[in-house]
Amino acid sequence: MASIFDSPVYQIANAQYDRVCDWLDVAQDVRERTRNPKRALVLRIPVKMDDGRVESFEGYRVQHHLALGPTKGGIRFHPDVTLGETAALAMWMSWKCALAGLPYGGAKGGVACDPHAMSRGEIERLTRRYTTELIPFIGPKMDIPAPDVGTGEQHMAWIMDTYSIAMGRGEPGVVTGKPVILGGTVGRREATGRGVAFLVNRAMDLLKIRAEGATAALQGFGNVGSQAALTLAASGVKIIAVEDHTGGVHRAAGLDVRALLDHATATGGVAGFSGGDVLDSGAVFSLSCDVLIPAALEAQITGKNAPGLRCKILAEAANGPTTACGDEVLRNSDIFLIPDILCNVGGVTVSYFEWVQNEQNFSWSEIEINDRLYRILEKAFQDVLNFSKKHGLGMRDAALAIGISKVLEAKRLRGLFP
Ligand code: NAD
């Protein structure tokens, strides 16, 4: 693949796309038009560091397709961010939004930096300068960023403030995932993890696994992982293991998730938590459990470790956690898969609610938010399940086939200009 986007993660997204396009029998020219991002911006972001040096970071924003509305997708601050990874994540956002019926094309942004090694002031200056460079590219009717790995509500507040100052008016709708007081929505912080837990519960119903006493293990204990763990624990599921970038903890009788979150918030990670035993890096993927939830980064489940998975349900809370080889193993196993574009769609769904509220200068209650969220999740789950049964496809291919078909149909109906 001769493409500036070529990278291991872009290859995962493309392998999935080609599999499904083969199955849908999509003509080669149509396939290529829809595969590659519509627009991509590469930025050099100079930042004055606390010691007086100027450090130049590389940042990106990729808009995958514009056929269904403005584009939407998170912003990642992580050392491994590349243009290719950003393009892959934008592509997945396209299929995800289409699957759930949200009026967006996919986008993603990121800066290659290590936020754990930066001061708050440095991160604020980086965020504001990145936003300034992005001004011609983003906006409530153009492209609406949100949090992803390494960013959260505070970053969204800085983006909204920087953009609003440049426009000369308040523009809360330029980002979602903002603090509630600045026009964010109740329930957004919890939405992705809450959605993961809702879908895990639906899969457990299907497999006749009782939540009370069922076991779950997670990789990743940030926004998504911690909220999924808290919600599952509240429905009676025992969280037996959690691994993050600092280490892993295990307790067969179930971890105290709230205490683990307090510890991780205070110390920066789960390592050193006294309420469990130390778990070696990667060991979470070979634990026997009902539900395994990768909620960290891409390419964690590979051809190498997938044969050793001992879960009944694999809930892909992270984007792209499974490589093409890992997926091949999963397709030939009995594991019930909740694929990423379905599993974590709760996040962008409540982001959509936030954007709608901003556009209308109106706010909904948390009951309203959750009720609307669960209705969209239930429909998406049923759509994927029914498609999978009807066509004898796995859950991943079924979810992708629905999302990709909708984007292709939108492009076909809009036609080609001129
Ligand atoms: P976050 O920054 O809040 O948390 C990331 C977690 O991953 C942290 O616990 C970190 O320690 C862990 N991690 C990082 N590197 C690791 C490694 N090498 N080994 C083990 N753990 C590691 O990020 P998040 O917002 O929770 O996002 C997690 C995943 O969910 C990402 O794939 C993201 O794209 C996806 N996602 C997030 C949202 C959202 O609303 N935040 C929505 C949809 C999908």
Side-chain angles (χ1 to χ4, degrees):
M1 184 199 331
S3 160
I4 52 167
F5 302 110
D6 195 13
S7 72
V9 181
Y10 197 59
Q11 282 168 14
I12 298 176
N14 276 276
Q16 294 175 356
Y17 178 68
D18 279 319
R19 260 183 72 79
V20 170
C21 283
D22 285 347
W23 186 82
L24 290 168
D25 201 17
V26 179
Q28 204 60 35
D29 59 337
V30 174
R31 193 184 291 210
E32 291 316 312
R33 181 183 169 206
T34 306
R35 177 198 307 278
N36 291 303
K38 179 75 181 160
R39 299 170 178 156
L41 197 62
V42 179
L43 302 162
R44 183 59 48 187
I45 310 157
V47 176
K48 179 80 73 67
M49 305 304 275
D50 291 347
D51 62 6
R53 273 178 318 114
V54 173
E55 197 165 327
S56 295
F57 296 90
E58 193 158 287
Y60 314 95
R61 185 76 188 167
V62 174
Q63 297 170 356
H64 180 248
H65 83 88
L66 311 175
L68 281 167
T71 47
K72 183 109 193 64
I75 290 179
R76 180 173 292 196
F77 283 1
H78 190 275
D80 298 340
V81 165
T82 63
L83 177 62
E85 180 195 69
T86 311
L89 290 163
M91 205 170 173
W92 282 318
M93 280 302 292
S94 290
W95 318 143
K96 186 187 307 181
C97 292
L99 169 65
L102 307 178
Y104 296 127
K108 208 77 183 189
V111 179
C113 65
D114 183 0
H116 294 299
M118 294 169 73
S119 70
R120 182 184 164 93
E122 289 168 343
I123 294 172
E124 178 175 356
R125 291 193 290 281
L126 171 66
T127 308
R128 288 188 182 274
R129 183 62 192 253
Y130 173 64
T131 308
T132 306
E133 306 286 352
L134 279 182
I135 281 172
F137 214 53
I138 59 173
K141 297 227 164 8
M142 262 174 85
D143 180 14
I144 306 123
D148 190 74
V149 174
T151 63
E153 288 177 22
Q154 181 60 73
H155 304 75
M156 298 306 116
W158 290 325
I159 294 173
M160 183 272 219
D161 183 64
T162 307
Y163 185 84
S164 295
I165 289 170
M167 293 298 123
R169 56 178 186 266
E171 285 281 9
V174 68
V175 282
T176 58
K178 300 174 289 294
V180 172
I181 195 166
L182 295 179
T185 186
V186 286
R188 172 61 185 93
R189 189 186 303 162
E190 300 83 2
T192 313
R194 207 173 250 170
V196 170
F198 176 89
L199 293 164
V200 164
N201 271 299
R202 295 297 289 109
M204 289 197 295
D205 291 345
L206 211 66
L207 302 188
K208 303 199 171 10
I209 299 171
R210 275 170 49 91
E212 195 67 46
T215 53
L218 292 99
Q219 184 202 41
F221 200 60
N223 171 281
V224 178
S226 64
Q227 292 300 333
L230 282 171
T231 315
L232 285 170
S235 65
V237 175
K238 277 193 289 186
I239 307 299
I240 60 165
V242 174
E243 178 192 294
D244 73 1
H245 73 287
T246 65
V249 282
H250 175 253
R251 185 166 183 263
L255 295 158
D256 178 339
V257 181
R258 179 56 66 184
L260 181 61
L261 183 55
D262 290 344
H263 171 85
T265 307
T267 66
V270 302
F273 180 61
S274 57
D277 306 323
V278 173
L279 188 70
D280 291 339
S281 168
V284 74
F285 293 119
S286 55
L287 286 177
S288 174
C289 56
D290 293 303
V291 187
L292 178 63
I293 307 179
L297 299 172
E298 302 88 21
Q300 299 300 303
I301 298 170
T302 63
K304 223 168 166 187
N305 64 5
L309 297 189
R310 290 195 291 150
C311 57
K312 296 183 184 130
I313 297 167
L314 178 64
E316 292 183 334
N319 286 305
T322 306
T323 65
C325 294
D327 199 28
E328 172 94 48
V329 176
L330 291 181
R331 273 199 301 277
N332 295 311
S333 77
D334 294 336
I335 294 173
F336 184 89
L337 176 69
I338 311 176
D340 51 2
I341 65 164
L342 170 65
C343 192
N344 64 38
V345 73
V348 66
T349 301
V350 176
S351 271
Y352 164 62
F353 299 160
E354 180 174 333
W355 177 74
V356 168
Q357 292 171 80
N358 291 153
E359 292 293 283
Q360 297 180 342
N361 294 308
F362 192 71
S363 61
W364 301 343
S365 69
E366 190 155 4
I367 293 177
E368 246 172 311
I369 294 281
N370 287 338
D371 180 53
R372 287 173 193 266
L373 168 66
Y374 295 147
R375 273 190 280 148
I376 288 180
L377 290 176
E378 179 63 28
K379 179 172 184 318
F381 183 75
Q382 289 302 338
D383 285 351
V384 175
L385 197 62
N386 292 339
F387 197 97
S388 154
K389 283 184 185 155
K390 182 171 172 197
H391 298 288
L393 284 178
M395 289 288 279
R396 185 189 314 287
D397 290 347
L400 286 166
I402 297 171
I404 291 171
S405 303
K406 287 190 189 175
V407 175
L408 293 173
E409 177 67 353
K411 279 181 170 274
R412 189 187 67 77
L413 287 168
R414 285 185 63 154
L416 184 60
F417 175 85

